[in-house]
Amino acid sequence: MESADAGAGERSSGMEVPGCTDDRLFLVKGGIFLGTVAAAGMLAGFVTTLSLAKKRSPEWFNKGSMATAALPESGSSLALRALGWGSLCAWCGVGVISFAVWKALGVHSMKDFRSKMQSIFPAIPKKSESAVEWEEALRSK
């Protein structure tokens, strides 16, 4: 009997490995999807804003797109340089804040971080019961 139970235990742990890779694959696919949607949204917003600016004042748009004697740097190169510096500052700022929180909590791994956050913040209830009865809230008076 004990040997049969040991064999079943080994099979169950072997069964979890493909599930783990499926979960990781699902997370990677989800991350790629969210990244693609975010990039498409940012590109659409940028193109829409650019076309709106060109439509409102075409002569000023053309003056800003080329370097002249009065403006030694074109508007697009100035905007790209500002975007680069802004992105660098944002990435560094988030990194510094994340590092400071990590060190302030005194954690050494993601498991430690998760347990620390679970001890600080209240647990999210797993029940799907709503605190508000929507039928009562939306009922006409």
Side-chain angles (χ1 to χ4, degrees):
M1 281 266 193
E2 292 176 15
S3 62
D5 290 340
E10 290 173 359
R11 274 185 253 135
S12 69
S13 65
M15 297 290 279
E16 291 175 5
V17 173
C20 183
T21 58
D22 289 343
D23 290 344
R24 285 190 181 181
L25 182 62
F26 179 73
L27 288 175
V28 168
K29 285 182 179 179
I32 290 171
F33 173 74
L34 289 177
T36 304
V37 169
M42 288 174 27
L43 183 65
F46 180 74
V47 168
T48 303
T49 304
L50 200 60
S51 65
L52 185 64
K54 188 172 185 176
K55 183 179 176 183
R56 284 193 178 168
S57 56
E59 69 268 356
W60 283 104
F61 184 83
N62 290 333
K63 282 183 183 178
S65 63
M66 296 183 307
T68 60
L71 298 170
E73 188 174 17
S74 70
S76 58
S77 66
L78 180 65
L80 282 175
R81 191 163 47 106
L83 179 65
W85 280 107
S87 298
L88 179 69
C89 290
W91 278 92
C92 291
V94 168
V96 166
I97 289 171
S98 300
F99 183 75
V101 168
W102 188 269
K103 287 299 179 182
L105 291 176
V107 294
H108 300 290
S109 68
M110 285 303 290
K111 287 184 179 182
D112 291 343
F113 182 75
R114 187 179 81 187
S115 64
K116 189 71 139 178
M117 288 292 112
Q118 286 176 345
S119 68
I120 293 173
F121 293 109
I124 298 172
K126 302 253 181 195
K127 293 182 181 178
S128 63
E129 292 180 20
S130 175
V132 176
E133 292 295 329
W134 291 107
E135 293 171 357
E136 292 178 16
L138 297 175
R139 186 175 45 208
S140 61
K141 294 181 180 180

